[in-house]
Amino acid sequence: MTSLLGIALLAVALSGPTVAFVPVGGGASTHVTITGTALLQKVTETCRAVAVAGGYEFEPTGTSPEELVQACLGPTAVGEVSGAKFYSALQQVYTQNGLVDRDFVASDRHHFNSETFFEGRGLITEGVMAIKANIRQENFQAAREILGKVLHTLQDFYSHSNWVELGNTEPYINLIRPDLPLDNLADVNTPTCSDCASGTCPNQILPNILKEKKLTSGYMGIFSPFKPKGKCSHGGAGDLTSTSDPRGGINKDERRPDNMALHDAAVKAATAASLELLQDIRLTAGDNDFLRMMGIARSSVVCFVIDTTGSMSDDIDEARSVVYEIIDSKKGTQDEPSEYILVPFNDPDFGPMIRTIDPDEMKKQISKLRAKGGGDAPEMCLSGLQLALTGAPDSSHIFVFTDATAKDIALKDTIIALIRSTKSKVSFFMTASSKRRRRSVASASFNDYKDLAVASGGQAIQVSKNQLPQATDVILDTSTSALVTVLQRARSPGKPETFTFLLDESLNNITLYITGTSISFTLTNPSGVSQNSNEANGKLGTIQSVGNLRRIRLNHDKQAGTWKININSNQPYTIKVTGQSTITFIYDFVESFGGPHPGYAVLNGRPQAGQPAKLMLSMMGRKGPSSMTVGDVGLVLVSGPEAITGGTKTDMGNGNILVNVDSVPEGEFVLTLTGTDKVSNSQFQRQSTTQMSVSKVHVQAVVASSVEPGKPFKLPFSVMTKGSSGQYAINARNDRDFPMDYPKSLTVTSGQYTNATLTITPPANTQSGTDVTLTIEAKSSSNTDSNYAVLRMSVVTKITDFVQPLCEVVSVIDDNCPDDLSQCGTFTWELSANLTDGNGTGIETISLHQGNGTLLHTLLSTPIVNANYNASCCSQVVEFVAVDKVGNVGKCYHSIVRSGSPALTLSLPLWLCILISAFMARP
Ligand SMILES: *[C@@H]1O[C@H](CO)[C@@H](O)[C@H](O)[C@H]1NC(C)=O
Ligand SMILES: *[C@@H]1O[C@H](CO)[C@@H](O)[C@H](O)[C@H]1NC(C)=O
Ligand SMILES: *[C@@H]1O[C@H](CO)[C@@H](O)[C@H](O)[C@H]1NC(C)=O
Ligand SMILES: *[C@@H]1O[C@H](CO)[C@@H](O)[C@H](O)[C@H]1NC(C)=O
Ligand SMILES: *[C@@H]1O[C@H](CO)[C@@H](O)[C@H](O)[C@H]1NC(C)=O
Ligand SMILES: *[C@@H]1O[C@H](CO)[C@@H](O)[C@H](O)[C@H]1NC(C)=O
């Protein structure tokens, strides 16, 4: 069964790339371009509103996402801002949008196929409610992922139904308004299409369907040609129903000569519908949280995981003083952190995770930390780290302070899976405890922390407690909005070696870090000037040495070009070269998938061994993707030898580059690339920091819906190996400690999927909008190979309230306002409205969206809320919005703009009006 399907899908995929309403493609409109257009427009609108409210100008220097971010962050834009976060957020939405065509290819409701209008709307409703609940809990990633999926279904309506054939040019608002009916649907016994022998006919919808404006959609059969009598098909090679009478199909996925007008109308309506859905979310979330969801925030995040056992009081003091220093020194700059995360751990307790955007709250929380309890025993370090990795935005820098080994070392594989999936960097400050009995193995056991640091591209810094204050500059270095890595390598065992790296014009504050013991080095610039490790203040920069760390800050007049560093050591060491620059990139390992709408999906887990690795890469610079060219892209082993396995590049449009690497190196590798910045016409080099390696094992799982509190949720998953058959140990963990049930071991036959089910049950009192990150690992019994899947789920209370708050304008007093607007300044008008939420959950907020007047309202807890608005006659429009407790949005709108040309209307003779209406009445 599986292999048959595989072949069928492959055949379809090979039959030629499709171009529209497909996940990605060249040129024409795709789900990505429709989604992208809507997101950029809504973000721009929101940025403008925030700027107006903040009293500053919103003037992007161009239309690229990076320029939009820079302008949106406003006058704090002292210093450079990287567009990476915004790009990643967009990419996440696009990816999840595209995945609907892989993971739910045969589910009619996900595509509004086969007249599943109620079911499709149900998915949209459930999704929108989950998005709103997640934003409320600041789970922006979960919100973005659901947003991508919901937009896909919404957009498909316009391609797969006859909405545009019916002459509609506007979106069908009822799809995002569950309180409105879905009327006039063609029932299952009503034929809807005429036969089309050629498969592509301009209009197959039956005339009476068009006349009666009945809504229908094409039937889709991936496995079976069956469809009810007389029904339209979806059409296309993947649809088996398209060859049964009536043949053909009504999908507008692709733009063909026979359907150009309909395709264009569908794209237009789908874009407008996406905008409406985004506006609904924006009104519920508020402008600031909407922008945060979209990754428009200063990119630096402070994330500390702190051991609070008895011997840690010096370390806690130091962590506190670093936090204070970051907060106080970066305030008002682009480097000011946008979020603070703090996770304490002890023994046996850890957490809770404290997450805030308020610097004063962070100061308060970190001031409350006290060292207490814990004995000689190791502590729950990795449990704390797990919370930080799942709670912090992707690509965060996480700093762990501890003086003991981890008791929960069994979590190590889970942590590595989370590091690979989030691309966050974890650095450890390991201080030897003087008060504790010296454990003979103490230093050796820190090796687990060193492994995690290297795997993530972070550092494992080992210092004494009194040296700690000299080592924490590393944290300040990362607290910037535009940090990039030029080079990073690890050697274990160490050997003398020379590393070269390219520094470009755009780089500022270039810093080299070397960790290791018994090390000496020589740094050489492009013109041959050298500095030795024993020269603390040399010609090239300043060298700071503390514990196992050397930090080299290059002088500001650094030279662009190829630099060299020769490291001399026989002990394990790491080297890293970083700087600040807006030239950066994001990437994901992807796999292609077939089906009626083929595309690329971000890999969940490690890439498959024995086949080419594929990466999707986006470059960003100061002026968008068009201002850069990418040169060589390849994979390189972190632990040597220094050989880059090059990849071939394919431009996928929208700044996406597909990289194909045929023979993937054996071992842990990173991505390295070079390119040219057209703005400064200079060459640059960058690399990724998260280590990756291939695996013969594959763990597959898809979360199909949100989870309800108190209800067991069944998650099917399957494990496959291209390696040897045998027993595979299954290990699943979630960051909320929700009870789970799953087989601890599976028998896997080489080349075949073994299916199993995991049941997770969030407690009944789980708050709606809680997200859970679940990691499922499968490991061969010989321990030689393993892989994982990281899944995010949302716990959402089933919503029954779809009632929007209602607004009734009770009175408007605008008689004062003069017709001549130049005299409006001294006059005012006012409006009074009654707001109710029927038997819904009740109004939670009322906010002003348009108008420069004053809005006051009575207590929200009363059944009827009275709102009063007064404003200058110059401000002629008011719009305010009431949001109920589950996020339904109701609007009040009123305009006192007098009719544009009143004179004309009044001067039309009465007889002419009568004549006109008589003509109009004629059939
Ligand atoms: C370099 O970093 C320092 C603080 O470490 C900061 O004051 C300075 O503005 C940075 N320079 C640039 C060019 O960003
Ligand atoms: C097992 O899982 C695979 C992949 O998820 C799926 O294609 C297949 O139909 C499943 N097999 C059975 C017997 O359920
Ligand atoms: C508006 O609400 C008030 C109570 O707050 C009520 O007395 C009044 O009748 C309502 N007006 C209308 C038009 O519903
Ligand atoms: C209350 O809500 C239910 C549906 O949940 C609806 O059937 C009923 O008519 C509503 N009652 C009022 C008074 O609005
Ligand atoms: C609007 O009402 C508020 C509060 O009642 C009052 O302070 C303000 O002066 C009024 N503004 C105008 C323009 O009438
Ligand atoms: C509010 O005032 C600003 C300038 O003060 C003006 O640009 C804007 O159009 C006004 N808004 C409305 C809705 O009148």
Side-chain angles (χ1 to χ4, degrees), residues 659-687:
V659 181
N660 220 52
V661 183
D662 280 335
S663 52
V664 185
E666 288 268 328
E668 295 292 326
F669 51 77
V670 287
L671 176 67
T672 172
L673 58 86
T674 60
T676 309
D677 172 26
K678 293 190 202 158
V679 180
S680 64
N681 195 27
S682 83
Q683 295 271 338
F684 60 82
Q685 170 188 344
R686 299 286 182 268
Q687 81 155 66

Short mmCIF file of all heavy atoms in Angstrom, two decimals, residues 659-687:
data_model
loop_
_atom_site.label_atom_id
_atom_site.label_comp_id
_atom_site.label_asym_id
_atom_site.label_seq_id
_atom_site.Cartn_x
_atom_site.Cartn_y
_atom_site.Cartn_z
N VAL A 659 19.53 24.41 -2.16
CA VAL A 659 20.89 23.91 -2.27
C VAL A 659 20.84 22.39 -2.19
O VAL A 659 20.23 21.83 -1.28
CB VAL A 659 21.79 24.47 -1.15
CG1 VAL A 659 23.21 23.96 -1.30
CG2 VAL A 659 21.76 25.98 -1.14
N ASN A 660 21.47 21.74 -3.13
CA ASN A 660 21.49 20.29 -3.19
C ASN A 660 22.92 19.82 -2.92
O ASN A 660 23.82 20.18 -3.67
CB ASN A 660 21.08 19.89 -4.61
CG ASN A 660 20.19 18.70 -4.58
OD1 ASN A 660 19.19 18.70 -3.87
ND2 ASN A 660 20.55 17.69 -5.34
N VAL A 661 23.12 19.05 -1.88
CA VAL A 661 24.47 18.54 -1.60
C VAL A 661 24.45 17.03 -1.84
O VAL A 661 23.77 16.29 -1.13
CB VAL A 661 24.91 18.84 -0.16
CG1 VAL A 661 26.34 18.37 0.06
CG2 VAL A 661 24.79 20.33 0.14
N ASP A 662 25.19 16.59 -2.88
CA ASP A 662 25.08 15.19 -3.28
C ASP A 662 25.69 14.22 -2.29
O ASP A 662 25.05 13.26 -1.89
CB ASP A 662 25.72 14.99 -4.66
CG ASP A 662 24.76 15.45 -5.75
OD1 ASP A 662 23.54 15.43 -5.47
OD2 ASP A 662 25.21 15.82 -6.83
N SER A 663 26.93 14.46 -1.90
CA SER A 663 27.51 13.52 -0.94
C SER A 663 27.75 14.25 0.37
O SER A 663 28.62 15.10 0.47
CB SER A 663 28.79 12.89 -1.48
OG SER A 663 29.64 13.91 -1.91
N VAL A 664 26.92 13.91 1.33
CA VAL A 664 26.93 14.59 2.61
C VAL A 664 28.07 14.05 3.45
O VAL A 664 28.28 12.84 3.51
CB VAL A 664 25.59 14.35 3.32
CG1 VAL A 664 25.51 15.13 4.60
CG2 VAL A 664 24.45 14.73 2.40
N PRO A 665 28.85 14.95 4.10
CA PRO A 665 29.96 14.45 4.90
C PRO A 665 29.49 13.56 6.06
O PRO A 665 28.39 13.74 6.57
CB PRO A 665 30.62 15.72 5.44
CG PRO A 665 29.88 16.88 4.90
CD PRO A 665 28.72 16.41 4.11
N GLU A 666 30.31 12.61 6.42
CA GLU A 666 30.04 11.73 7.56
C GLU A 666 30.45 12.46 8.83
O GLU A 666 31.61 12.80 8.99
CB GLU A 666 30.91 10.46 7.46
CG GLU A 666 30.51 9.49 6.38
CD GLU A 666 29.55 8.45 6.91
OE1 GLU A 666 29.66 8.12 8.11
OE2 GLU A 666 28.68 8.00 6.15
N GLY A 667 29.52 12.67 9.73
CA GLY A 667 29.87 13.35 10.98
C GLY A 667 29.03 14.61 11.14
O GLY A 667 28.11 14.86 10.36
N GLU A 668 29.36 15.37 12.16
CA GLU A 668 28.59 16.57 12.45
C GLU A 668 29.08 17.72 11.57
O GLU A 668 30.25 18.06 11.59
CB GLU A 668 28.75 16.96 13.93
CG GLU A 668 28.17 15.92 14.89
CD GLU A 668 26.65 15.83 14.82
OE1 GLU A 668 26.01 16.87 14.59
OE2 GLU A 668 26.12 14.72 15.00
N PHE A 669 28.16 18.29 10.80
CA PHE A 669 28.58 19.33 9.87
C PHE A 669 27.77 20.61 10.08
O PHE A 669 26.74 20.61 10.77
CB PHE A 669 28.45 18.86 8.42
CG PHE A 669 27.09 18.29 8.09
CD1 PHE A 669 26.00 19.11 7.87
CD2 PHE A 669 26.91 16.91 8.02
CE1 PHE A 669 24.76 18.59 7.56
CE2 PHE A 669 25.66 16.37 7.72
CZ PHE A 669 24.58 17.21 7.50
N VAL A 670 28.26 21.69 9.50
CA VAL A 670 27.54 22.96 9.48
C VAL A 670 27.54 23.47 8.05
O VAL A 670 28.24 22.94 7.19
CB VAL A 670 28.19 24.02 10.40
CG1 VAL A 670 27.96 23.71 11.86
CG2 VAL A 670 29.66 24.19 10.09
N LEU A 671 26.75 24.51 7.83
CA LEU A 671 26.62 25.10 6.50
C LEU A 671 27.56 26.30 6.43
O LEU A 671 27.62 27.10 7.35
CB LEU A 671 25.17 25.56 6.34
CG LEU A 671 24.80 26.30 5.07
CD1 LEU A 671 24.90 25.36 3.88
CD2 LEU A 671 23.39 26.83 5.20
N THR A 672 28.29 26.41 5.33
CA THR A 672 29.16 27.57 5.18
C THR A 672 28.89 28.17 3.80
O THR A 672 28.57 27.45 2.86
CB THR A 672 30.65 27.19 5.37
OG1 THR A 672 31.45 28.31 5.02
CG2 THR A 672 31.05 26.01 4.51
N LEU A 673 28.96 29.49 3.70
CA LEU A 673 28.69 30.10 2.39
C LEU A 673 29.47 31.39 2.23
O LEU A 673 29.90 32.03 3.20
CB LEU A 673 27.19 30.36 2.22
CG LEU A 673 26.46 31.24 3.21
CD1 LEU A 673 26.56 32.71 2.82
CD2 LEU A 673 24.99 30.85 3.24
N THR A 674 29.67 31.73 0.96
CA THR A 674 30.29 33.01 0.63
C THR A 674 29.33 33.74 -0.30
O THR A 674 28.40 33.15 -0.83
CB THR A 674 31.63 32.82 -0.11
OG1 THR A 674 31.36 32.10 -1.31
CG2 THR A 674 32.64 32.08 0.73
N GLY A 675 29.59 35.01 -0.51
CA GLY A 675 28.73 35.78 -1.40
C GLY A 675 29.27 37.18 -1.57
O GLY A 675 30.32 37.53 -1.02
N THR A 676 28.54 37.97 -2.35
CA THR A 676 28.93 39.35 -2.60
C THR A 676 27.78 40.27 -2.22
O THR A 676 26.63 40.02 -2.59
CB THR A 676 29.26 39.56 -4.09
OG1 THR A 676 30.17 38.55 -4.48
CG2 THR A 676 29.87 40.93 -4.34
N ASP A 677 28.08 41.29 -1.45
CA ASP A 677 27.10 42.32 -1.12
C ASP A 677 27.20 43.40 -2.19
O ASP A 677 28.24 44.06 -2.31
CB ASP A 677 27.43 42.89 0.27
CG ASP A 677 26.55 44.08 0.60
OD1 ASP A 677 25.43 44.18 0.06
OD2 ASP A 677 26.99 44.93 1.40
N LYS A 678 26.13 43.55 -2.98
CA LYS A 678 26.21 44.49 -4.10
C LYS A 678 26.26 45.94 -3.62
O LYS A 678 26.75 46.81 -4.32
CB LYS A 678 25.02 44.29 -5.04
CG LYS A 678 25.03 42.95 -5.76
CD LYS A 678 23.95 42.94 -6.83
CE LYS A 678 23.53 41.53 -7.20
NZ LYS A 678 22.19 41.50 -7.81
N VAL A 679 25.73 46.19 -2.42
CA VAL A 679 25.72 47.56 -1.90
C VAL A 679 27.15 48.06 -1.69
O VAL A 679 27.53 49.13 -2.12
CB VAL A 679 24.90 47.66 -0.60
CG1 VAL A 679 24.90 49.09 -0.07
CG2 VAL A 679 23.48 47.16 -0.82
N SER A 680 27.96 47.22 -1.01
CA SER A 680 29.33 47.66 -0.74
C SER A 680 30.32 46.99 -1.70
O SER A 680 31.52 47.22 -1.60
CB SER A 680 29.71 47.31 0.71
OG SER A 680 29.70 45.90 0.87
N ASN A 681 29.78 46.17 -2.60
CA ASN A 681 30.60 45.40 -3.52
C ASN A 681 31.72 44.65 -2.79
O ASN A 681 32.87 44.67 -3.20
CB ASN A 681 31.18 46.30 -4.61
CG ASN A 681 31.71 45.48 -5.78
OD1 ASN A 681 31.22 44.37 -6.01
ND2 ASN A 681 32.71 45.99 -6.47
N SER A 682 31.36 44.02 -1.66
CA SER A 682 32.41 43.28 -0.97
C SER A 682 32.00 41.82 -0.76
O SER A 682 30.83 41.47 -0.72
CB SER A 682 32.76 43.96 0.36
OG SER A 682 31.86 43.60 1.36
N GLN A 683 33.01 40.98 -0.67
CA GLN A 683 32.83 39.55 -0.47
C GLN A 683 32.59 39.27 1.00
O GLN A 683 33.17 39.92 1.86
CB GLN A 683 34.13 38.82 -0.84
CG GLN A 683 34.52 38.91 -2.29
CD GLN A 683 33.89 37.75 -3.05
OE1 GLN A 683 33.54 36.74 -2.44
NE2 GLN A 683 33.73 37.92 -4.34
N PHE A 684 31.72 38.30 1.28
CA PHE A 684 31.53 37.94 2.68
C PHE A 684 31.53 36.43 2.85
O PHE A 684 31.35 35.68 1.89
CB PHE A 684 30.22 38.54 3.22
CG PHE A 684 28.99 38.08 2.49
CD1 PHE A 684 28.39 36.87 2.80
CD2 PHE A 684 28.43 38.87 1.49
CE1 PHE A 684 27.26 36.45 2.12
CE2 PHE A 684 27.30 38.45 0.80
CZ PHE A 684 26.71 37.23 1.12
N GLN A 685 31.71 36.01 4.10
CA GLN A 685 31.67 34.59 4.47
C GLN A 685 30.79 34.46 5.70
O GLN A 685 30.89 35.26 6.63
CB GLN A 685 33.09 34.11 4.79
CG GLN A 685 33.16 32.72 5.41
CD GLN A 685 34.58 32.36 5.88
OE1 GLN A 685 35.56 32.98 5.49
NE2 GLN A 685 34.66 31.36 6.73
N ARG A 686 29.91 33.49 5.72
CA ARG A 686 29.08 33.23 6.90
C ARG A 686 28.99 31.72 7.10
O ARG A 686 29.14 30.96 6.16
CB ARG A 686 27.65 33.77 6.70
CG ARG A 686 27.55 35.27 6.48
CD ARG A 686 27.78 36.06 7.76
NE ARG A 686 27.64 37.49 7.54
CZ ARG A 686 28.64 38.31 7.22
NH1 ARG A 686 29.87 37.85 7.09
NH2 ARG A 686 28.41 39.60 7.03
N GLN A 687 28.64 31.33 8.31
CA GLN A 687 28.35 29.90 8.52
C GLN A 687 27.26 29.71 9.56
O GLN A 687 26.98 30.60 10.37
CB GLN A 687 29.62 29.14 8.88
CG GLN A 687 30.04 29.23 10.34
CD GLN A 687 30.89 28.04 10.76
OE1 GLN A 687 32.00 27.87 10.28
NE2 GLN A 687 30.36 27.23 11.67
#
